[in-house]
Amino acid sequence: MVCEKNSVVDFKSGNICAVKIENTELFDVRKTFDCGQCFRFDEVCDSIHEVEYAGLALGKYISIAQDGNNIILYNTTVREYEKVWKKYLCLDMDYKKINNNILSLSDNKNLLSAMEKASGIRILGQDGWECLCSFIVSQNNNIPRIKKLIASLCSECDSDREDRFRLLEFMDGHISEVHKTLPGAFSPFPSPEHVRRLGQNRLSELKFGFRSKYIDCAADFVSTGKINLNDLYSKKTLDCMNTLCEIKGVGPKVALCTLLFGFGHLDAFPVDVWIKRVLEKYFDKSFSSDMLGDYAGVAQQYLFYYERYLDGEEK
DNA sequence: AAACAGGCCTAAA
DNA sequence: TTTAGGCCTGTT
């Protein structure tokens, strides 16, 4: 019986602190960062690696590269990886087990096929507040514009934004080209209090449109404690959803995305237009997401990727 | 030009 | 309780 432990080591790439993680399985950097769950990452097109995505998460600009089964993280250390990024990247989870669990609960042919095609996607452990705002912004909107709006919000709230790029220039080669001309790409996501201070009018000026008052309401609820985000980690998914739906502009879809991507509720099964199509096409009417168990949200992401990103390709 | 984009709110049956 | 319009803005 071979028990392969993946080695995690620090190294230097020029002046950049980096970490190499060997033998990761069921982790595909491109799919994970390009499947629409996060809005602050973009590809590093001139990368020295097979695939590399960089972006700002949990207050820090980081780059994640992949060569085969090896993962390379730039601008971090093993110490920080163990503390922060391991969980963020969901590398503390056994996806083989998760997949088997899903398969044990459903024999749907299309789900099986979706899992094969989308395999390697991991549900990131993003910041809950940022997720909430991001998915409020996402409604009736497209991904490029969602990304722009979020970056502009970060830019607006960041008094040091002029300096950020200069501070990051040392990691040139591991910065997404897109970010070099995107205002706010290197700015951290603002706190609820900060967004609240901005106010609905300023949000409108920033072109959030009808979503301005929704963001404002979310910031109000969270910053004043009408909703305690810390409660959302432990309570049941359905209860959490109902809590989040008290915010104006937050419905079931936004709430469940927030819980799935921002609060670790892997059973949350958000239904958007794509998933609605999937359910109509491949499942019978008796389908309910709790049939898929504790990891229904992972299955949802496989199905979403399958339908949204593989359309036109061979399924 | 008109329709659409990873929804939700509101008004009307 | 369910259902159709309308919504900011930008892109095609």
Side-chain angles (χ1 to χ4, degrees), chain A residues 45-62:
Chain A
C45 292
D46 59 1
S47 174
I48 54 175
H49 299 284
E50 289 170 15
V51 191
E52 183 169 358
Y53 276 72
L56 204 135
L58 308 177
K60 184 166 178 176
Y61 196 82
I62 187 167

Side-chain angles (χ1 to χ4, degrees), chain A residues 74-310:
Chain A
Y74 291 96
N75 200 22
T76 188
T77 60
V78 168
R79 194 186 167 79
E80 191 181 64
Y81 165 75
E82 295 292 348
K83 201 174 150 198
V84 178
W85 302 113
K86 190 176 191 173
K87 192 169 165 61
Y88 177 79
L89 297 169
C90 211
L91 287 170
D92 56 349
M93 284 259 198
D94 185 348
Y95 262 64
K96 195 174 277 181
K97 249 186 201 163
I98 291 176
N99 288 348
N100 285 335
N101 185 272
I102 294 167
L103 290 176
S104 73
L105 295 170
S106 171
D107 58 356
N108 186 291
K109 267 259 183 246
N110 293 288
L111 177 56
L112 178 64
S113 159
M115 185 182 288
E116 280 168 3
K117 295 286 182 186
S119 188
I121 289 182
R122 297 218 173 202
I123 307 290
L124 296 169
Q126 300 182 64
D127 175 73
W129 161 243
E130 175 175 341
C131 252
L132 174 58
C133 289
S134 300
F135 284 96
I136 289 174
V137 173
S138 81
Q139 63 182 272
N140 205 221
N141 222 338
N142 55 55
I143 290 175
R145 203 169 105 84
I146 298 165
K147 285 184 168 182
K148 253 186 223 169
L149 284 169
I150 291 170
S152 79
L153 177 63
C154 297
S155 173
E156 173 73 15
C157 296
D158 183 13
S159 50
D160 296 328
R161 66 179 172 281
E162 308 298 337
D163 297 328
R164 303 265 180 207
F165 185 66
R166 188 173 51 74
L167 288 171
L168 278 167
E169 269 181 346
F170 76 95
M171 63 181 289
D172 199 26
H174 304 283
I175 291 175
S176 170
E177 291 77 4
V178 178
H179 298 161
K180 296 180 183 175
T181 55
L182 177 66
F186 307 106
S187 302
F189 196 85
S191 67
E193 293 75 18
H194 208 321
V195 175
R196 181 85 179 111
R197 243 176 288 142
L198 228 49
Q200 194 183 315
N201 289 338
R202 186 66 192 130
L203 289 165
S204 294
E205 286 170 12
L206 294 171
K207 315 274 188 195
F208 281 81
F210 64 86
R211 306 164 198 83
S212 301
K213 60 173 176 290
Y214 301 161
I215 303 281
D216 187 55
C217 179
D220 175 34
F221 274 42
V222 175
S223 65
T224 59
K226 288 190 192 101
I227 286 180
N228 185 353
L229 292 184
N230 287 323
D231 292 343
L232 300 184
Y233 292 99
S234 47
K235 290 201 301 188
K236 288 203 301 197
T237 302
L238 194 64
D239 295 333
C240 295
M241 183 187 85
N242 288 327
T243 300
L244 286 173
C245 284
E246 289 170 19
I247 300 166
K248 190 170 281 296
V250 175
K253 193 271 177 182
V254 169
L256 290 172
C257 279
T258 302
L259 293 168
L260 177 59
F261 302 125
F263 289 92
H265 287 258
L266 296 185
D267 60 331
F269 193 92
V271 178
D272 57 42
V273 290
W274 295 96
I275 292 296
K276 198 176 288 174
R277 262 171 240 165
V278 165
L279 296 181
E280 283 165 4
K281 276 163 74 176
Y282 309 134
F283 292 80
D284 52 54
K285 292 198 80 171
S286 64
F287 173 84
S288 157
S289 68
D290 18 87
M291 289 160 62
L292 295 177
D294 292 342
Y295 305 107
V298 179
Q300 185 270 5
Q301 203 54 198
Y302 291 153
L303 290 165
F304 177 76
Y305 180 85
Y306 184 65
E307 191 68 10
R308 170 78 175 78
Y309 289 94
L310 294 180

